[in-house]
Amino acid sequence: MENLFIGKSGSKRWLVFLITNILCFLWFCLNYASLIGSKTEIIKVHSREEKIITKSKVDLCWGRYIYIHNLPSQFNEDVLRNCQLLTRKTDKFDMCLFTNNSGFGPQVENFNHGVLSNTRSWFFTNQFMLEVIFHNRMKNYKCLTHDSSLASAIFVPFYAGLDLRRHLWGHKTSVRDASGFELVKWLTEKPEWKKTWGMDHFLVSGRISRDFRRKSDKNSEWGSKFRSLPESRNMSMLSIESSLNNINNNDFAIPYPTSFHPSTEIEVSQWQDRMRRQNRPYLFSFAGARRSRNKGSLRDIIINQCLESSNNSCKFMDCSSSGSSNCDNPLNVMQVFQKSVFCLQPPGDSYTRRSIFDSILAGCIPVFFHPGSAYSQYLWHLPKNHTKYSVFISGKSLRDRKSRFIINETLVGVSKEEQEAMREQVIRLIPRIVYADNTIRLETGFEDAFDLAVKGVLDKIETSRRVIKEKEKSMDSIR
């Protein structure tokens, strides 16, 4: 009976042991499944994070997004719509002509002269149309965003130069300043402004910066005081000439528009090769006019030295109203510059002039007489080492009567090897100083004047943003 009892009891214990093990196994499986599920979920979370990180890595526009303010039409479209107000009585042409083709102006039709390339990329472009050209190009910028919170910069398409041109002559200062006041009032009411108080905003002007820095409210004083407004000082302005006394460091010079607006990189390369092969019979040339109101000026000295140069080594292109040359025609200008080794570029009505970029386009080595004509201006587009692409002759030395032929003597002293090296540098600059056709996206790797300007202003704004953050951190640590 005892063995029987023990057998039954042992069987029960084995049954309990077996059931317990089964339950433990099931509990372990359930927990393991739960654990596996958690790991799977963790893996999925990491996978999502990786996708987000990967997306930001491959987003080529990250840090380059630009938001365009949709300004009321009075600040841009209406200016072009009423383009007849842009024309002065002394103008040779109706300014409305130059608003065509997105600001490029009328197309040059005749290519049988052998001077311009046989393409449809040459236009009668007016230098004051830069803001229109830039705006239309910006509309096709590949990193535009409709979400201003993603933007690294805010573009303000205000045609400041053209608006001012309508009121420069015969109008009170209050009239000249009106649009600027209305613009900053409109901007400061927008949420985009309050993020950085306009530090990330920028605009473009086809006039020199000095035209917007009037110092008093006297009607006899030139220009407007748009850039003197506190709100405007926070913004960056890209213009054909920056202020040399730029206290806030927010004025930046970008190239004057030339008449060449290529649509492909191949077109640019072909033009460069053509300029390399060009025969240049003139040692130097000058395209411009005397300043009748300023006798004995630097212009007069340069023109006289050109006319008196030995062996007809200089070609003078008289651009005065009484002159025989039509300097508004790109065919005439390119014809002279292509035949010249050096092109003289003295200050005009201001330090800079469009002719600088016409000469570079023609592969002609520019000769400067004031550092403010290029060296302290186009920092994003021209080399820092200016001796690689240009010659400098001090304006002061020109006024020394003992050096009557200093221009000729200086340029004759440049060896053929030095000429060739400088010319090659000038020709390599051509893609950097032209504004390409805004209706066509150029090949990857090709950067024109617009691309370099956008890159420059984005870098400037990012630098300012970092400085502000560092100051805020410093203030927090002090507190």
mmCIF file of all heavy atoms in Angstrom, residues 386-413:
data_model
loop_
_atom_site.group_PDB
_atom_site.id
_atom_site.type_symbol
_atom_site.label_atom_id
_atom_site.label_comp_id
_atom_site.label_asym_id
_atom_site.label_seq_id
_atom_site.Cartn_x
_atom_site.Cartn_y
_atom_site.Cartn_z
ATOM 1 N N HIS A 386 44.077 91.297 -57.037
ATOM 2 C CA HIS A 386 43.678 92.028 -58.243
ATOM 3 C C HIS A 386 44.782 92.117 -59.287
ATOM 4 O O HIS A 386 44.517 92.433 -60.445
ATOM 5 C CB HIS A 386 43.197 93.433 -57.871
ATOM 6 C CG HIS A 386 44.191 94.236 -57.082
ATOM 7 N ND1 HIS A 386 45.248 94.873 -57.659
ATOM 8 C CD2 HIS A 386 44.277 94.477 -55.748
ATOM 9 C CE1 HIS A 386 45.946 95.502 -56.735
ATOM 10 N NE2 HIS A 386 45.394 95.280 -55.564
ATOM 11 N N THR A 387 46.031 91.849 -58.901
ATOM 12 C CA THR A 387 47.131 91.918 -59.881
ATOM 13 C C THR A 387 47.057 90.778 -60.884
ATOM 14 O O THR A 387 47.694 90.842 -61.936
ATOM 15 C CB THR A 387 48.498 91.863 -59.167
ATOM 16 O OG1 THR A 387 48.608 90.637 -58.429
ATOM 17 C CG2 THR A 387 48.659 93.040 -58.213
ATOM 18 N N LYS A 388 46.257 89.748 -60.583
ATOM 19 C CA LYS A 388 46.143 88.612 -61.493
ATOM 20 C C LYS A 388 45.294 88.922 -62.721
ATOM 21 O O LYS A 388 45.452 88.285 -63.757
ATOM 22 C CB LYS A 388 45.545 87.407 -60.758
ATOM 23 C CG LYS A 388 46.492 86.738 -59.783
ATOM 24 C CD LYS A 388 45.881 85.465 -59.242
ATOM 25 C CE LYS A 388 46.878 84.709 -58.358
ATOM 26 N NZ LYS A 388 46.296 83.435 -57.864
ATOM 27 N N TYR A 389 44.390 89.888 -62.593
ATOM 28 C CA TYR A 389 43.461 90.137 -63.707
ATOM 29 C C TYR A 389 43.404 91.601 -64.144
ATOM 30 O O TYR A 389 42.664 91.935 -65.075
ATOM 31 C CB TYR A 389 42.050 89.672 -63.336
ATOM 32 C CG TYR A 389 41.333 90.576 -62.360
ATOM 33 C CD1 TYR A 389 40.459 91.561 -62.809
ATOM 34 C CD2 TYR A 389 41.537 90.464 -60.989
ATOM 35 C CE1 TYR A 389 39.804 92.406 -61.916
ATOM 36 C CE2 TYR A 389 40.896 91.300 -60.092
ATOM 37 C CZ TYR A 389 40.030 92.264 -60.563
ATOM 38 O OH TYR A 389 39.393 93.105 -59.679
ATOM 39 N N SER A 390 44.165 92.502 -63.496
ATOM 40 C CA SER A 390 44.050 93.923 -63.829
ATOM 41 C C SER A 390 45.372 94.658 -63.591
ATOM 42 O O SER A 390 46.310 94.127 -62.988
ATOM 43 C CB SER A 390 42.949 94.570 -62.986
ATOM 44 O OG SER A 390 43.339 94.606 -61.616
ATOM 45 N N VAL A 391 45.393 95.916 -64.065
ATOM 46 C CA VAL A 391 46.532 96.812 -63.845
ATOM 47 C C VAL A 391 46.019 98.029 -63.088
ATOM 48 O O VAL A 391 44.904 98.502 -63.350
ATOM 49 C CB VAL A 391 47.161 97.249 -65.187
ATOM 50 C CG1 VAL A 391 48.244 98.314 -64.957
ATOM 51 C CG2 VAL A 391 47.742 96.055 -65.916
ATOM 52 N N PHE A 392 46.806 98.508 -62.137
ATOM 53 C CA PHE A 392 46.406 99.689 -61.378
ATOM 54 C C PHE A 392 47.394 100.823 -61.624
ATOM 55 O O PHE A 392 48.607 100.655 -61.507
ATOM 56 C CB PHE A 392 46.344 99.392 -59.882
ATOM 57 C CG PHE A 392 45.914 100.578 -59.058
ATOM 58 C CD1 PHE A 392 44.593 100.978 -59.035
ATOM 59 C CD2 PHE A 392 46.844 101.307 -58.313
ATOM 60 C CE1 PHE A 392 44.188 102.080 -58.287
ATOM 61 C CE2 PHE A 392 46.460 102.400 -57.570
ATOM 62 C CZ PHE A 392 45.124 102.792 -57.540
ATOM 63 N N ILE A 393 46.856 101.996 -61.986
ATOM 64 C CA ILE A 393 47.650 103.213 -62.145
ATOM 65 C C ILE A 393 47.012 104.274 -61.258
ATOM 66 O O ILE A 393 45.825 104.582 -61.414
ATOM 67 C CB ILE A 393 47.671 103.701 -63.613
ATOM 68 C CG1 ILE A 393 48.273 102.630 -64.530
ATOM 69 C CG2 ILE A 393 48.461 105.002 -63.729
ATOM 70 C CD1 ILE A 393 48.233 102.995 -66.011
ATOM 71 N N SER A 394 47.753 104.809 -60.342
ATOM 72 C CA SER A 394 47.213 105.780 -59.407
ATOM 73 C C SER A 394 46.717 107.033 -60.128
ATOM 74 O O SER A 394 47.413 107.598 -60.980
ATOM 75 C CB SER A 394 48.285 106.171 -58.382
ATOM 76 O OG SER A 394 47.875 107.285 -57.621
ATOM 77 N N GLY A 395 45.521 107.467 -59.792
ATOM 78 C CA GLY A 395 44.975 108.692 -60.370
ATOM 79 C C GLY A 395 45.833 109.896 -60.019
ATOM 80 O O GLY A 395 45.955 110.841 -60.808
ATOM 81 N N LYS A 396 46.438 109.836 -58.838
ATOM 82 C CA LYS A 396 47.310 110.934 -58.409
ATOM 83 C C LYS A 396 48.521 111.059 -59.318
ATOM 84 O O LYS A 396 48.936 112.174 -59.677
ATOM 85 C CB LYS A 396 47.749 110.695 -56.966
ATOM 86 C CG LYS A 396 48.592 111.818 -56.379
ATOM 87 C CD LYS A 396 48.957 111.533 -54.935
ATOM 88 C CE LYS A 396 49.813 112.662 -54.365
ATOM 89 N NZ LYS A 396 50.197 112.394 -52.952
ATOM 90 N N SER A 397 49.085 109.924 -59.723
ATOM 91 C CA SER A 397 50.252 109.959 -60.606
ATOM 92 C C SER A 397 49.889 110.486 -61.983
ATOM 93 O O SER A 397 50.707 111.088 -62.674
ATOM 94 C CB SER A 397 50.855 108.556 -60.733
ATOM 95 O OG SER A 397 49.942 107.672 -61.373
ATOM 96 N N LEU A 398 48.635 110.278 -62.397
ATOM 97 C CA LEU A 398 48.188 110.799 -63.690
ATOM 98 C C LEU A 398 48.153 112.324 -63.697
ATOM 99 O O LEU A 398 48.387 112.959 -64.728
ATOM 100 C CB LEU A 398 46.800 110.269 -64.027
ATOM 101 C CG LEU A 398 46.696 108.939 -64.781
ATOM 102 C CD1 LEU A 398 45.243 108.620 -65.051
ATOM 103 C CD2 LEU A 398 47.463 108.981 -66.075
ATOM 104 N N ARG A 399 47.827 112.877 -62.544
ATOM 105 C CA ARG A 399 47.720 114.335 -62.457
ATOM 106 C C ARG A 399 49.082 115.012 -62.345
ATOM 107 O O ARG A 399 49.174 116.236 -62.386
ATOM 108 C CB ARG A 399 46.843 114.707 -61.265
ATOM 109 C CG ARG A 399 45.371 114.303 -61.448
ATOM 110 C CD ARG A 399 44.519 114.814 -60.308
ATOM 111 N NE ARG A 399 43.110 114.572 -60.554
ATOM 112 C CZ ARG A 399 42.460 113.472 -60.161
ATOM 113 N NH1 ARG A 399 43.117 112.524 -59.505
ATOM 114 N NH2 ARG A 399 41.182 113.321 -60.424
ATOM 115 N N ASP A 400 50.125 114.215 -62.202
ATOM 116 C CA ASP A 400 51.475 114.756 -62.167
ATOM 117 C C ASP A 400 51.902 115.086 -63.600
ATOM 118 O O ASP A 400 52.076 114.200 -64.432
ATOM 119 C CB ASP A 400 52.435 113.728 -61.552
ATOM 120 C CG ASP A 400 53.842 114.265 -61.394
ATOM 121 O OD1 ASP A 400 54.101 115.397 -61.854
ATOM 122 O OD2 ASP A 400 54.685 113.555 -60.824
ATOM 123 N N ARG A 401 52.066 116.343 -63.903
ATOM 124 C CA ARG A 401 52.344 116.766 -65.274
ATOM 125 C C ARG A 401 53.678 116.243 -65.792
ATOM 126 O O ARG A 401 53.935 116.251 -66.997
ATOM 127 C CB ARG A 401 52.315 118.296 -65.353
ATOM 128 C CG ARG A 401 50.932 118.869 -65.090
ATOM 129 C CD ARG A 401 50.909 120.372 -65.281
ATOM 130 N NE ARG A 401 49.578 120.907 -65.045
ATOM 131 C CZ ARG A 401 49.270 122.195 -65.162
ATOM 132 N NH1 ARG A 401 50.202 123.076 -65.490
ATOM 133 N NH2 ARG A 401 48.035 122.600 -64.937
ATOM 134 N N LYS A 402 54.557 115.802 -64.894
ATOM 135 C CA LYS A 402 55.851 115.273 -65.326
ATOM 136 C C LYS A 402 55.681 113.915 -66.004
ATOM 137 O O LYS A 402 56.563 113.465 -66.724
ATOM 138 C CB LYS A 402 56.795 115.137 -64.128
ATOM 139 C CG LYS A 402 57.161 116.470 -63.481
ATOM 140 C CD LYS A 402 58.062 116.252 -62.288
ATOM 141 C CE LYS A 402 58.401 117.592 -61.607
ATOM 142 N NZ LYS A 402 59.260 117.398 -60.405
ATOM 143 N N SER A 403 54.552 113.246 -65.734
ATOM 144 C CA SER A 403 54.307 111.919 -66.293
ATOM 145 C C SER A 403 53.232 112.018 -67.369
ATOM 146 O O SER A 403 52.112 111.532 -67.205
ATOM 147 C CB SER A 403 53.882 110.942 -65.192
ATOM 148 O OG SER A 403 54.825 110.902 -64.158
ATOM 149 N N ARG A 404 53.555 112.644 -68.447
ATOM 150 C CA ARG A 404 52.571 112.934 -69.488
ATOM 151 C C ARG A 404 52.052 111.677 -70.187
ATOM 152 O O ARG A 404 50.906 111.637 -70.620
ATOM 153 C CB ARG A 404 53.195 113.881 -70.511
ATOM 154 C CG ARG A 404 52.229 114.348 -71.579
ATOM 155 C CD ARG A 404 52.896 115.333 -72.520
ATOM 156 N NE ARG A 404 52.008 115.701 -73.615
ATOM 157 C CZ ARG A 404 52.392 116.454 -74.636
ATOM 158 N NH1 ARG A 404 53.646 116.907 -74.699
ATOM 159 N NH2 ARG A 404 51.532 116.745 -75.597
ATOM 160 N N PHE A 405 52.903 110.674 -70.311
ATOM 161 C CA PHE A 405 52.511 109.455 -71.037
ATOM 162 C C PHE A 405 52.601 108.229 -70.130
ATOM 163 O O PHE A 405 53.017 107.161 -70.543
ATOM 164 C CB PHE A 405 53.401 109.259 -72.272
ATOM 165 C CG PHE A 405 53.341 110.399 -73.241
ATOM 166 C CD1 PHE A 405 54.408 111.282 -73.361
ATOM 167 C CD2 PHE A 405 52.217 110.602 -74.022
ATOM 168 C CE1 PHE A 405 54.355 112.334 -74.249
ATOM 169 C CE2 PHE A 405 52.152 111.652 -74.911
ATOM 170 C CZ PHE A 405 53.226 112.535 -75.034
ATOM 171 N N ILE A 406 52.224 108.411 -68.878
ATOM 172 C CA ILE A 406 52.383 107.336 -67.906
ATOM 173 C C ILE A 406 51.554 106.102 -68.258
ATOM 174 O O ILE A 406 51.973 104.968 -68.010
ATOM 175 C CB ILE A 406 52.033 107.828 -66.481
ATOM 176 C CG1 ILE A 406 52.409 106.753 -65.456
ATOM 177 C CG2 ILE A 406 50.557 108.193 -66.370
ATOM 178 C CD1 ILE A 406 52.274 107.224 -64.034
ATOM 179 N N ILE A 407 50.378 106.289 -68.871
ATOM 180 C CA ILE A 407 49.540 105.131 -69.219
ATOM 181 C C ILE A 407 50.241 104.278 -70.262
ATOM 182 O O ILE A 407 50.392 103.057 -70.093
ATOM 183 C CB ILE A 407 48.157 105.593 -69.743
ATOM 184 C CG1 ILE A 407 47.401 106.349 -68.658
ATOM 185 C CG2 ILE A 407 47.347 104.384 -70.202
ATOM 186 C CD1 ILE A 407 46.061 106.902 -69.106
ATOM 187 N N ASN A 408 50.668 104.901 -71.325
ATOM 188 C CA ASN A 408 51.360 104.183 -72.405
ATOM 189 C C ASN A 408 52.626 103.501 -71.879
ATOM 190 O O ASN A 408 52.880 102.328 -72.164
ATOM 191 C CB ASN A 408 51.705 105.150 -73.534
ATOM 192 C CG ASN A 408 52.101 104.428 -74.815
ATOM 193 O OD1 ASN A 408 51.257 104.094 -75.633
ATOM 194 N ND2 ASN A 408 53.396 104.178 -74.980
ATOM 195 N N GLU A 409 53.406 104.227 -71.080
ATOM 196 C CA GLU A 409 54.666 103.685 -70.551
ATOM 197 C C GLU A 409 54.416 102.491 -69.637
ATOM 198 O O GLU A 409 55.135 101.496 -69.678
ATOM 199 C CB GLU A 409 55.422 104.784 -69.794
ATOM 200 C CG GLU A 409 55.935 105.914 -70.682
ATOM 201 C CD GLU A 409 56.436 107.098 -69.882
ATOM 202 O OE1 GLU A 409 56.373 107.033 -68.629
ATOM 203 O OE2 GLU A 409 56.874 108.091 -70.500
ATOM 204 N N THR A 410 53.382 102.602 -68.798
ATOM 205 C CA THR A 410 53.067 101.507 -67.868
ATOM 206 C C THR A 410 52.634 100.247 -68.611
ATOM 207 O O THR A 410 53.098 99.136 -68.315
ATOM 208 C CB THR A 410 51.958 101.929 -66.895
ATOM 209 O OG1 THR A 410 52.380 103.079 -66.157
ATOM 210 C CG2 THR A 410 51.621 100.800 -65.927
ATOM 211 N N LEU A 411 51.762 100.399 -69.587
ATOM 212 C CA LEU A 411 51.217 99.239 -70.289
ATOM 213 C C LEU A 411 52.230 98.612 -71.251
ATOM 214 O O LEU A 411 52.229 97.394 -71.445
ATOM 215 C CB LEU A 411 49.936 99.631 -71.031
ATOM 216 C CG LEU A 411 48.814 100.159 -70.120
ATOM 217 C CD1 LEU A 411 47.576 100.505 -70.930
ATOM 218 C CD2 LEU A 411 48.475 99.147 -69.032
ATOM 219 N N VAL A 412 53.086 99.429 -71.849
ATOM 220 C CA VAL A 412 54.165 98.893 -72.694
ATOM 221 C C VAL A 412 55.102 98.049 -71.854
ATOM 222 O O VAL A 412 55.686 97.056 -72.328
ATOM 223 C CB VAL A 412 54.932 100.043 -73.394
ATOM 224 C CG1 VAL A 412 56.239 99.534 -74.003
ATOM 225 C CG2 VAL A 412 54.061 100.671 -74.484
ATOM 226 N N GLY A 413 55.232 98.410 -70.587
ATOM 227 C CA GLY A 413 56.130 97.683 -69.694
ATOM 228 C C GLY A 413 55.623 96.326 -69.243
ATOM 229 O O GLY A 413 56.358 95.557 -68.604
#
